[in-house]
Structure formats: C-alpha cells, structure tokens
Amino acid sequence: MPYFSCRTFLYLALLLTGCGGSSDSGQAAPLTRTSAIRAVAGAPPCPAAPNTLRNITSVQGSGRLSPRTGQLVTLRGVVTGDFQETRQLHGFFLQQVEPDGNAATSEGIFVYLPSGAKRVARGQYVQVSGTIEEYKSSSADPDRLTRISSVSTISVCGTGPQITPHILQLPVAGDKQFEALEGMLVQLPQTLTVTDNHDLGRHGELLLSANGRLWQPNNDPAGRDAATVVAANARSQILLDDGANVVSPVPVPYLSANDSSGTRRSGDTVSGLQGILSWSTSGWRIVPTAPVVFTPANPRPPAPAAVGGTLRVASMNVLNYFTTLGARGADSALERTRQRDKLVAAIAGLDADVLGLMEIENNPAALADLVGAVNARLGGNTYAAIDSGVPGSDVIKVALIYKPARVVTLGPRELPPTRGFLVDGGVRPPLAQRFAARDNNGSFWMVVSHLKSKSSCPSDTRSVERDRGQGCWNAARTRQAGALLQWVDTLVARSGDGDVLMLGDFNAYLDEDPIRVIEAAGHADLLRRLPPAERYSYVFAGMAGALDHGFASRTLAPHVSGVTIWHANADEPAVLDYNTESKPDDRYAATPWRASDHDPVLVGLTLPARR
C-alpha cells in the first residue's frame, strides 16, 4: 500500500496584517514594485526588486497548486532551513516574516538552487528572484511542491527577525491542512513513534506516527473496524527526511550507534521534532532543522520471551534461503554466507526442539546446507531434517528440523494431495510429522504451512482474487485453509492422535478469512493469548500485523504453556540484512537481527505422558 498524503496545521498565533493585506478571495494581495518600499518590521532593507515583488502567501495560494506558476517574481523572507551542501536538497527554505492572517495559505517556500552559486545561511533575510514552478516527480500522487527555480538573483539583506515554528499536531483533521504549512518551519511537540524504517538505508527516511505505531486494518489491537483504521492511519503519519538528495546515504542516518550494533527499530520514539514541512514523492515530510533525539522505546529482545513447558516448538520464515545463487535470495557466495550466518544465529537463539521453516529452496541441498551450518555452530548432530524431497511445483517449500535428543519421529512424514493447494498454476503443500517427547512419550502432530502470498495480483480486474480488503489471493488462501483442515482431520483419524500444532506463514492477518476458517474449526490461534500490542510478526508500508501464526487443536490447547513472537526481524531496518548491494555504509553483523523480514513464533508445550 502506498503512503498516504494528508495535511494538517495548528497555528499558535496569526497576526491580522500581512505584507499587503488579504483579498476577498482569501489569497494575499501582491505587493507592487512601488508599494514594496514599505519596510517589514524588524527586517533589514533589500535592493529594489528586478520584477514584481510579492509576498510568499500570494505565491502559495490557498489550493494544491500555486496561482503564480510560470511567473517571474521576487520574494523576501528569512532562511529557515539551509540544505545547499553537496548531496543535500540543492536549496533552502524561505519564510515571510509576517503572517497574512489566512490560515489556508502557507508563508514558506523552497528555493531550488542546484548550482549553489549563492550561499545563504539560516536566519538571514534574503531577497530572491526567479520562476514559480510546481515540482512533481514520476509519482502518481496529486500533490506537488511549490518552489522558486531558475533563480536570477539572490541578495542577502542581513539578519532577519526570528521565525517562531508553527505547532503541527498529529493526527490531522482533514486532507488540506498540510498544504497550508508547506515550506514552513514547524514543530511537533508530541511523542511520535517510528512505524516504518524500510527506506532508512535507501533514502534516509523514517515514517513516524502519532498515538503509537500504525496497524494493519485487519489486525488492530484496539478492535476497530478496518475502515476506521485506514482513515486513522492516513491522518496520523509523516515522514522524517534526512535532508539529503542521494540514494544510500553515508552514514546511514538516525541509527543508535556508529558501528554494526546500531539500529533504529520500529517502536522507537522521538519528541519535540522541529523542521520544515515539505513534500516529495512518498508524501509529506519533516526536514529537520534541529538535532533529532530518539528514545529506544522498543529495544532489541536478546532472546525470545519465556514460554515454559517441556518442549519448545517454533516456526520461522527464512526469506528465500537458496543455495542456487541468483535465483532468489543470495546473489553471490558472500551474500549466501552472510545470510546463512544470520539464520544460524537466529535458529540458535530460538533453541526450538522442533522448528518449521518457510521459504527454503525446493531441493534437498538447501535444507542440508542450512542444517549443516547450524550443527557446526551448536555441535554434533544437534538438529536433523525431515526429508520431504521436492514437494509441489513452487521454487520454495516448507521444511521441518528437530533435535533427536529431545524428540523422536512417529511414522513417516506426511504430504497432502496437491489438488487442494493448487493456486495460480503452482502448488506449495504443507508438511506434517508426528513427534513424541523422549522424556515421557507425549506426542503431537507438527504441521508447517505457507499459504499463498498477497502479492503478484492477477491482472484481470474482475477476478475474485483481486484485493477486496484482505490483499490479493484471499479467496485462494481461504480455500487452502479449508484444504489444510480436511487433511489434518485425516491425519488425526488415521493416527488416533488429536493433538495438532499448526505453525507457519499463513499470509493472512488476525481478522482475515483464512484465520477465521481455521478458528471456526476449533483450532485456537495462540497469538490471541498475547497482549494485543504484541500480536505482529511483519511490518508492511509502516503497518504492523501478524502473518505468522500458531494454531492448537482443542485437545492440545490446554497443554500449551506459553507463546511468544521474537521481534528480531520485523522491527529492524532492512539496511541491516545480509545483502551487499546499495550499501556503501554496510552495517552487517552475523547476529539474529534482520535475519529475515518475518518474526519467528515460539510455542511451549507440556505434553501428557503416554505409554
């Protein structure tokens, strides 16, 4: 989902008079060349204007676009933000001294000066002559940035009066309110939360939100309906921009440390943010003019929370672990080593007795390679793999590994008929194995699944598989969930063992159809035992939600001692992953952090003894 562009303002004070007054239409009247002789209180004198002298509010206007687009004008104001250094925004922000009394018109503007021919400094009173234009990138967003470009002259008149930041409060009240502060110095006094860090390493951006992090509409901890969540999310977010005009900035901004231990997790907070309100491709943003100080409100959990019990069972999406280079996942031997080392650290940290894996390359070599690396770290034959061969027709598969010292297998591994899991010409079947605990012979079925993803939507706009509020392929996932239940029933009937634990990446959020189907059949989604704010394993477009689930059958649920999601991945910046491309400031470390894009789910079991 794209970022939303919403607008807000809250003026602390608006003076009743401006540079030339206000017209009946609500736009500030222009100053003529002769009337411009009148001095602005507290501002030093400037040279005569080479063309029509106007106040900034008359250029900004009260709508999305400037009424002066294409005109040659001269503007005067105080420099509130200087971003002329190499690899910055190639310009500065200018704000008129006197508000015009019209809350719909901005008093600030960006001066685009790519040549950097004239240096200015923050706090100077400056006169600029150039052409008004509406900057728009290739984005489909209807918003644009009003700026003055093709600058002909710049005069530094002296030190200007101090500009007081306008107070900006989120969530905003309506769609037009950011426009009224475009290019102005603002302050957000409230505490804002980092809700997305995906583009931190690529564009130096963090998405911030009010009232805590943003949530997926179908995974809301407060129980709000999806439409309410969508509307609230749109009004509650703003980008924090580093002020650079470069891809892959060096150093990566806003990290907590200068070495490989540095991070900036979703859930961290910042208060008293001050900067210029601007717009670019991804939406409205704050370009800071004062130091940004974060509070590490969501520190890295060094290990999963305790789940109790006598057995630990987990699932983890390994983000396309391939030994075939360049297919998916790693593109080089170095990347494969880096990916493997992170996954080994994560698997060691989980310390599961039985572990389901998703997104393993669909061949025996990839799983053997990963298990070999885990055992090389942990010693001996700590883990063994269930041999599932090459099931289905997808390039990835699910897999199972286990500790032979802790559990034994009962019977062969099980794969279902592929028909019920066929989607869009391919099939990725679940995998099941019955295990017994060595200490008391307590047994259960472990079923690992990976349902159809929400991406790669069908091109036919009439297709039932298009996004209808639950992502694309929701109907397919719902059918797969039904097929999974039918197959599990056959396993139970044949074995006489009704204790079933289904783990995996279901690609469905907590309140979506596939999850409802499984719960309606009597399988408890164990994530609902967690505090609502902990029910997430994935962050997409700044919104948190749970795609990874654990379901316990009616007979097994009473024997579940605990459940947790180890938030080692989803909250971490993508720039900390194993990839090497586009990382001039490479902060890689062979740690569990950002070993994948999904968080692992860990379940504790206390199984009743069996003879």
Side-chain angles (χ1 to χ4, degrees), residues 345-413:
I347 292 171
L350 275 171
D351 191 26
D353 299 313
V354 179
L355 177 60
L357 302 173
M358 292 76 67
E359 293 195 16
I360 287 278
E361 184 177 11
N362 194 3
N363 65 36
L367 182 59
D369 180 76
L370 182 58
V371 172
V374 173
N375 286 339
R377 171 167 175 164
L378 298 180
N381 296 312
T382 304
Y383 280 97
I386 300 296
D387 183 8
S388 62
V390 183
S393 57
D394 203 338
V395 295
I396 56 175
K397 68 176 182 177
V398 300
L400 273 170
I401 66 175
Y402 66 99
K403 292 182 177 179
R406 301 284 294 145
V407 295
V408 296
T409 59
L410 298 178
R413 59 100 175 106

Side-chain angles (χ1 to χ4, degrees), residues 29 36-37 53 98 114 213 223 271 277 282 312 328 349 376 382 418 426 438 456-457 478 489 506 523 556 566 571 573:
I37 297 174
L53 179 63
E98 296 180 351
R213 71 194 311 156
S271 300
L277 180 65
S282 300
R312 295 164 64 91
R328 283 194 191 180
T382 304
T418 59
R438 283 195 178 272
S456 302
C457 302
T478 304
D489 286 345
F506 290 79
H523 297 266
L556 182 64
W566 188 18
D571 287 333

Side-chain angles (χ1 to χ4, degrees), residues 302 342 345-346 349 566 568-569 589-596:
K342 274 193 165 292
W566 188 18
N569 297 323
T591 62
W593 318 118
R594 199 65 188 190
S596 176

Side-chain angles (χ1 to χ4, degrees), residues 50 62 99 127 144 201 205 243 256 263 268 283 286 308 314 331 336 354 400 495 532 537-538 578 588 591 604 606:
S62 58
Q127 176 175 291
R144 306 184 185 195
E205 297 175 351
S256 59
T263 187
D268 288 349
I286 296 293
D331 294 321
R336 182 174 60 191
V354 179
L400 273 170
S495 65
S537 65
Y538 192 71
Y578 70 86
Y588 172 83
T591 62
T606 303

